Amino acid sequence: MNLAIQPVSEEYALAYPSMAALTACYLQVRRHTLALAEPLSDEDCGAQSMTDASPVKWHLAHTTWFFETFILERYEPDFAPFHSAFRVLFNSYYNGIGEKHPRAQRGLLTRPSMAQVRAYRANVDQRMQLLLARSGTGEAAAQAELATLVTLGVQHEQQHQELLLTDVKHLLAQSALLPAYLELALARAGAAPAAHWLRFDGGLTEIGFQGQGFCFDNELPRHRQYVAPFELSSQLVTNGEYLAFIAAGGYRQAALWLAEGWDWVRQQQLSAPLYWRREGPQTYEFTLYGEQLLDPARPVSHLSLYEADAYARWAGARLPTEAEWELAAALQPVPSAQAGLPHTGGLHPAGASAGAGAGASGDQPQLLQMFGHCWQWTSSSYAAYPGFQTAEGALGEYNGKFMLNQYVLRGSSCATPAGHARLSYRNFFPAGARWQFTGVRLARQQACHAR
Amino acid sequence: MNLAIQPVSEEYALAYPSMAALTACYLQVRRHTLALAEPLSDEDCGAQSMTDASPVKWHLAHTTWFFETFILERYEPDFAPFHSAFRVLFNSYYNGIGEKHPRAQRGLLTRPSMAQVRAYRANVDQRMQLLLARSGTGEAAAQAELATLVTLGVQHEQQHQELLLTDVKHLLAQSALLPAYLELALARAGAAPAAHWLRFDGGLTEIGFQGQGFCFDNELPRHRQYVAPFELSSQLVTNGEYLAFIAAGGYRQAALWLAEGWDWVRQQQLSAPLYWRREGPQTYEFTLYGEQLLDPARPVSHLSLYEADAYARWAGARLPTEAEWELAAALQPVPSAQAGLPHTGGLHPAGASAGAGAGASGDQPQLLQMFGHCWQWTSSSYAAYPGFQTAEGALGEYNGKFMLNQYVLRGSSCATPAGHARLSYRNFFPAGARWQFTGVRLARQQACHAR
Amino acid sequence: MNLAIQPVSEEYALAYPSMAALTACYLQVRRHTLALAEPLSDEDCGAQSMTDASPVKWHLAHTTWFFETFILERYEPDFAPFHSAFRVLFNSYYNGIGEKHPRAQRGLLTRPSMAQVRAYRANVDQRMQLLLARSGTGEAAAQAELATLVTLGVQHEQQHQELLLTDVKHLLAQSALLPAYLELALARAGAAPAAHWLRFDGGLTEIGFQGQGFCFDNELPRHRQYVAPFELSSQLVTNGEYLAFIAAGGYRQAALWLAEGWDWVRQQQLSAPLYWRREGPQTYEFTLYGEQLLDPARPVSHLSLYEADAYARWAGARLPTEAEWELAAALQPVPSAQAGLPHTGGLHPAGASAGAGAGASGDQPQLLQMFGHCWQWTSSSYAAYPGFQTAEGALGEYNGKFMLNQYVLRGSSCATPAGHARLSYRNFFPAGARWQFTGVRLARQQACHAR
Amino acid sequence: MNLAIQPVSEEYALAYPSMAALTACYLQVRRHTLALAEPLSDEDCGAQSMTDASPVKWHLAHTTWFFETFILERYEPDFAPFHSAFRVLFNSYYNGIGEKHPRAQRGLLTRPSMAQVRAYRANVDQRMQLLLARSGTGEAAAQAELATLVTLGVQHEQQHQELLLTDVKHLLAQSALLPAYLELALARAGAAPAAHWLRFDGGLTEIGFQGQGFCFDNELPRHRQYVAPFELSSQLVTNGEYLAFIAAGGYRQAALWLAEGWDWVRQQQLSAPLYWRREGPQTYEFTLYGEQLLDPARPVSHLSLYEADAYARWAGARLPTEAEWELAAALQPVPSAQAGLPHTGGLHPAGASAGAGAGASGDQPQLLQMFGHCWQWTSSSYAAYPGFQTAEGALGEYNGKFMLNQYVLRGSSCATPAGHARLSYRNFFPAGARWQFTGVRLARQQACHAR
């Protein structure tokens, strides 16, 4: 089957598109979510492999619940819920909405069935279309308010599209049968180009979202930040480089690790990234295309922040801050960065040569693999920007309440839907999370040391 | 649909029935397991609600694995496994067989699918029929050996039929939708007859299996045991009686509880049996027929040993020993006890009047509800009978290695398949287990105290 | 210093001794407890090495609390507690008395100080003497009641004398300095005599306490029990024999272990008894006399029931039941068994030759090491004897509420105070407990297999 | 006794003081540590109330170990350790040094005794004096290197002086006797002055240590940071204000809390700061002077970051960043801030009037209670300053490896030794830590909202 993801239309990127364009965008994203579930059986869609992950069925229902709870309940004249119990069953973390089904028990929701969840989606889609059609004739302010909520719902669903893929990858990896999400033999990437250090001046700059389109509240307000001169690597750390770190005893030297990371390594007795398997001299990697021989030229992925940080220390470098990352991305000719890259290599990170894009020709080194391959750990704790404001009501819980003990990741991954990434996008996870497509781009303060 | 369970044919009860009879019995039991899964969707069959319980799909596959591993692998001339990974995936606890899929992760086995597991069952059934047909012409000793193994496999599958029902009950109970396994409004039982104390002389007696048919190794050898005179209640403790215990503060008085039980009550903050729900003045009970108003005349079920013991102490009585239970059951005119009762009240324990059976008429009080309603906790630790021998090889792990920190339950429950129960049958669970149909029959040493 | 323990005077063994004799006995036992603390600093006396163990200071105070709470509070005309907070601080597990200081935090009781606890002891001893002196002129029934309580308090304190030693051994073993409780180089035991199987007929017998002296409630009532013919080993399993079990891979073969034991071994990654330490070819054992070279002729000690059971299975034998043990001990010429053996080898189990006692001469094999070396695990779950009655009030919590998921040990150990052991004595611990002096005496059903 | 803490001499604050001055400083700090232990018994000094806290004895030994391991071992010509086992026993977290005694078991170190630890201290002090005397005649560079290490050791010991007090407070609070570290009835603070918002312009500024004296590596390098205009409260949040937060349901409203904080509150069922106890209408607070009636005018202390953050949100404000705190402190006339305040109110935070200091007169509002009362939570994650460098070898583990999932606290507390605080000092703890003297100073972005 064809899972090639179409980029969301240009009009959508406008702040308040026409209701017709918004409706088209809504339907496109909603259909894509269903398409992602197509390679899976109903059984696959019900299981939950760990508390952090959710069943595919739950993603399908929760994204629908979001539209029903935050939009239809407010705008439908004679609102009646599709099913009264769904308000609790598919509430993720909104205390302002009320009770929640326990997160660790989402895999026990064999009822409602996938068929019922599909019916739920169809029902809400129908009502949303009706609502949007009616609203097209309303006042501008009311239209804008509705458009903002719908756009948030669409972006929210795109976030769950990525989680759906990473969660199902984690689930399939638990099986001794190592089943593929999609059957495909991954081609070997060509040899990776040599990595370069690219220098950036920094200074008193600004970061945070600017422009007309949508952004999440945590990307605002745009604000000044002083950044000292720094260097970034032109590309992501590769599997081959990471193998060298392992071979050099990286997982056995306390001095390379943060204290909490060292405890984590020893308690879990780790010696490789998630999804790697050693068998004799070979290393295999479990992918959404099933288990594949590890490709040294592709970027290393599924690293915790602990591992990313230890690798950087071993390499005589460090992780970038999120400001450094955003500044560099803004200054460099990153192809279509703001609009988001359609991922070119499918559902697995591609080698640097493959990700170079149209503008990568010429001698001038540039930043490769900023988007569409691996999220890139930064050393920045996830925190509110100065002057950050949360929304009123339950939607205020969307981002703000998670700003503690998590770290920011920048860029986007092969699992990020097209059109979803942004220069100012702030993804965030706890330091030990490994089931996302998370990799490393190195930074350093000065150019005086050879890498 | 009709889930009325047909008793296994008489011939089956013979030690070594004819191969034809054994084949018929095999097929009957195998079909019944599939019938139990019929009311459930594939999604229902994959989920695991707790480590102690297993998914229905796993039960379907593991019982098949048992025949494939312990019989086909030994007797088939050119044995080839249906799927090489199944040896690990569906091994429950046999270290002698090798690796096992982790017990707590049985709910993550979305592959193989239910369709594949059904195919696995059909394949093994076909090969078993072939094997049994061929063996019918073999030597008597070889036939007897094979018949013994097949009979064990059949009995093993019947044990899993009961677990399948109690496990699925636990799963469905986790859902806010409280779905029924079968849709039915349970009729109210008539008023329970008054309970009587029945006196038994005890003395130097014998317990343990005797006779021609099948029994598990833990029922052997039959051996002498001295039992002091005792009394048993004529029937099980009812929901109504247990409500009185709760109303009297039973869950709040440390003096009624074993030390470990009191810790258990406080840590889990318990105040009622599993599956009970208070709403205003009403108490509801979740059953395989969905949630029902609690019926005071039916036996209380889903009690831990802690609760059973505390109730007995509150009632001025105690739990019986397994020897007392077996002696009483053997001496009293229990209707068809040895052959096993077809359960008359469906998949929920019935009131004492309903369970009286054909021979219960007349003035003479007798033991009611010994079989077919609730397993009855005894005070006997699960231990080897004097002279107990385990089988050679992996099958020796069937019972013996669990003889520690578990307690014996006697009788059978509404979920026990017809023909499976026996006077000498020893069921066993840890003291805190509540998801089986487990109830209380009181005992006491002397008749001098009113109950 | 001299810690040789004087046996409690003969008169004490009578059911209700004279008040003068009882007072002498009381004082003797109380002084001995203090003597046991003498080799220790106040710092040593305050620490708690695990939840199961208690600080020495806590033992000193709790045993005093027992007399104050259960005797002085009832009998003193103008009872006023020594310190109002002690009722809570030094309550072990009596819910009937009220609140308790959390068990796991006994090591945090730096206040009261050891000096205050010593003053507490002196104060209660003075008041007890006064009370006993006054009571000597009272009515016989009242005297008997008081004597019973005082005797229970004395026996209770003796139990804590043993725990004090095993708890302090566990504490000292945590230190990298491996300090000795008493400085002494243990002499090598001579070669152990060959073990013999001794045959016992069993039959319809009686077990449980009989006679005039004191016993705990759990030894009553004496009752009939049918015991099949059996054999017991003439002596305890030695360190040398246990080394052979280890060398044969005993800790690595699942088939030797109960299921729960196998989980326990793997989770804790065990490969030897508690307190053993391998260094090159040598094995050392931490003792109350500091670390010593392991003596192959001494009995193996500090085994869990899991290990005892696995060893027995490996040796082609089994553990005895408590009835077998008691019958054998009663029938054999065990020297002074009922009165209790003064321990001859100090605070470590001695080899079989040393423990033979006066009556061991001649060719006739006899039961050696029944008392005074290691408690002997039985396969008997700790349960109420038929007709068991608990005392009224909080003292009813003494034994009865622990009759679940624990196993009976018989005999006594080198740490048991003289005069405390009895034929019918029932010690009990959970299957995983290893910090007591717990060893193995093998049993078997039939003599047909060579051991 | 008199625990008034003498400020470290002025000379000490110089970068490389004379060896004589350094020796005097060394001895003064070493003596002070012993003085802090004086009110405690040896028993008090051995106990460990939780893994995060250490016994007083361990603090006494570990600070000594620091000098022995990092200085004497390097500089003594014929170095021989005081006791070979101490290298392991008193290593806190330096993997570069080797093995460590398990942190959770520091309370089990009844050996070495307090007497031995005192002897250890005396021995090392003597050797250090000898070394410093000898070094006074050496080369300047060598002297400077040694002086740097000794100064670090002295500062390290001062950090442990504070921990010693907070750890012993936690220990004493576990006792039902609620013993005082020092006996004293705390006087009621007068009514707190009204809090004011003080405005700061921010801009492109610098933070981090500058000057001649000592600082920790984590205060370096001084670097530019852009800070938007902000306001700080003139004083710490008081107990009275926090009582209003509780009365308003602060602990029961999810919307006030970070997600992780809300989980924490519910799991631990919290409703007040650590050490508070409600009894009828009264609230008591456990202090180093025993339990005292809560004083509404004193600053609230022993808050987690979760609580500090929730309070700020409830008050319509937020926590300051560490840059804001440092800028404000640098710009305001804070009395003797850089030199450190001798704490004026003893070992408990004092009210704002008491803490105003000499320069607080006049109408002009100023920042009160910046030092010497409570550490002040900031919203800044503990991270490396741009260009941060760790030392070579094991000392490089001092600070850097903890820069993850901890938050910065600024200022100092009543338990901080005199002369230890600095404008640029960065204390850090995980968000849930409550046993330090941790309070709240509010900040806000704009002055447009009344507080």
Side-chain angles (χ1 to χ4, degrees), chain A residues 40 42-44 47-49 57 83 85 89 101 105 107-108 110-114 171-172 174-177 179-180, chain B residues 40 42-44 47-49 57 83 85 89 101 105 107-108 110-114 171-172 174-177 179-180:
Chain A
L40 302 167
D42 288 358
E43 295 169 70
D44 292 331
Q48 178 181 33
S49 59
K57 181 165 70 179
H83 191 301
L89 288 182
H101 182 78
Q105 297 191 10
L108 306 187
T110 65
R111 320 280 177 101
S113 66
M114 270 295 275
L171 171 65
L172 297 176
Q174 308 309 309
S175 170
L177 305 178
Chain B
L40 301 167
D42 287 0
E43 295 170 69
D44 292 331
Q48 179 180 33
S49 58
K57 181 164 71 178
H83 191 300
L89 288 183
H101 180 79
Q105 298 191 9
L108 305 187
T110 66
R111 319 280 178 100
S113 66
M114 270 294 276
L171 170 65
L172 297 176
Q174 308 309 310
S175 169
L177 306 177

Side-chain angles (χ1 to χ4, degrees), chain C residues 328-349:
Chain C
L331 291 170
Q332 274 283 82
V334 178
S336 316
Q338 270 169 292
L341 265 187
H343 58 77
T344 56
L347 296 172
H348 200 68

Side-chain angles (χ1 to χ4, degrees), chain C residues 58-375:
Chain C
W58 191 91
H59 285 300
L60 296 183
H62 165 67
T63 49
T64 306
W65 170 93
F66 193 95
F67 287 110
E68 189 182 38
T69 305
F70 290 117
I71 297 179
L72 294 180
E73 190 168 328
R74 186 189 296 190
Y75 288 100
E76 273 193 339
D78 302 308
F79 173 79
F82 178 78
H83 191 301
S84 59
F86 286 12
R87 188 180 176 89
V88 167
L89 288 183
F90 300 120
N91 180 3
S92 52
Y93 56 65
Y94 296 90
N95 294 309
I97 298 299
E99 290 303 300
K100 293 157 289 183
H101 181 78
R103 181 172 189 134
Q105 299 192 7
R106 289 177 183 167
L108 305 187
L109 295 171
T110 66
R111 320 280 178 99
S113 67
M114 270 296 275
Q116 287 172 296
V117 166
R118 284 200 178 87
Y120 180 35
R121 290 185 69 88
N123 174 276
V124 164
D125 285 351
Q126 200 171 22
R127 289 151 71 194
M128 282 294 295
Q129 282 177 270
L130 219 64
L131 173 69
L132 290 168
R134 267 204 313 267
S135 303
T137 60
E139 284 184 37
Q143 277 197 40
E145 188 192 78
L146 174 60
T148 301
L149 283 173
V150 174
T151 304
L152 179 63
V154 165
Q155 295 281 337
H156 169 259
E157 182 137 356
Q158 288 186 306
Q159 293 184 306
H160 280 276
Q161 288 171 354
E162 175 150 11
L163 293 173
L164 184 156
L165 287 167
T166 52
D167 290 358
V168 91
K169 180 173 180 177
H170 190 264
L171 171 65
L172 297 175
Q174 307 309 310
S175 169
L177 306 177
L178 292 177
Y181 169 71
L182 292 177
E183 293 287 349
L184 183 75
L186 277 181
R188 295 248 116 186
H196 295 277
W197 286 112
L198 303 185
R199 168 171 287 182
F200 298 89
D201 292 335
L204 185 54
T205 64
E206 284 193 351
I207 65 165
F209 180 74
Q210 64 181 348
Q212 294 283 315
F214 169 86
C215 76
F216 285 111
D217 57 359
N218 62 7
E219 303 167 48
L220 291 174
R222 188 169 175 84
H223 61 284
R224 289 191 192 165
Q225 190 153 340
Y226 178 80
V227 175
F230 65 98
E231 296 184 339
L232 275 195
S233 174
S234 58
Q235 60 191 45
L236 299 179
V237 172
T238 65
N239 287 324
E241 291 167 318
Y242 202 81
L243 279 168
F245 165 70
I246 295 176
Y251 281 89
R252 297 189 306 271
Q253 295 178 49
L256 295 173
W257 297 78
L258 291 163
E260 193 177 302
W262 184 239
D263 290 345
W264 176 84
V265 159
R266 286 190 303 170
Q267 274 165 23
Q268 308 207 19
Q269 302 186 305
L270 299 175
S271 58
L274 186 63
Y275 300 138
W276 285 25
R277 185 173 67 83
R278 277 262 153 81
E279 191 178 297
Q282 296 293 4
T283 303
Y284 297 88
E285 180 179 23
F286 183 73
T287 77
L288 283 164
Y289 304 103
E291 197 173 75
Q292 309 269 341
L293 202 59
L294 185 75
D295 186 343
R298 291 182 185 258
V300 62
S301 190
H302 298 295
L303 296 184
S304 67
L305 173 56
Y306 304 127
E307 290 163 302
D309 175 84
Y311 177 85
R313 189 167 293 113
W314 175 77
R318 60 168 174 81
L319 300 179
T321 65
E322 62 170 326
E324 289 170 343
W325 194 99
E326 186 170 330
L327 287 177
L331 291 170
Q332 274 283 82
V334 178
S336 316
Q338 270 169 292
L341 265 187
H343 58 77
T344 56
L347 296 172
H348 200 68
S353 54
S361 62
D363 300 338
Q364 197 178 335
Q366 59 172 270
L367 289 169
L368 303 176
Q369 300 173 309
M370 294 292 272
F371 293 92
H373 299 277
C374 292
W375 290 99

Side-chain angles (χ1 to χ4, degrees), chain A residues 243 277-284 293:
Chain A
L243 279 168
R277 186 172 65 83
R278 277 260 154 81
E279 192 179 296
Q282 296 293 4
T283 303
Y284 297 88
L293 202 57

Side-chain angles (χ1 to χ4, degrees), chain C residues 43-44 57 110-111 114, chain D residues 43-44 57 110-111 114:
Chain C
E43 296 169 70
D44 292 331
K57 181 164 72 177
T110 66
R111 320 280 178 99
M114 270 296 275
Chain D
E43 296 169 68
D44 292 331
K57 181 164 70 179
T110 66
R111 319 280 178 99
M114 269 295 277

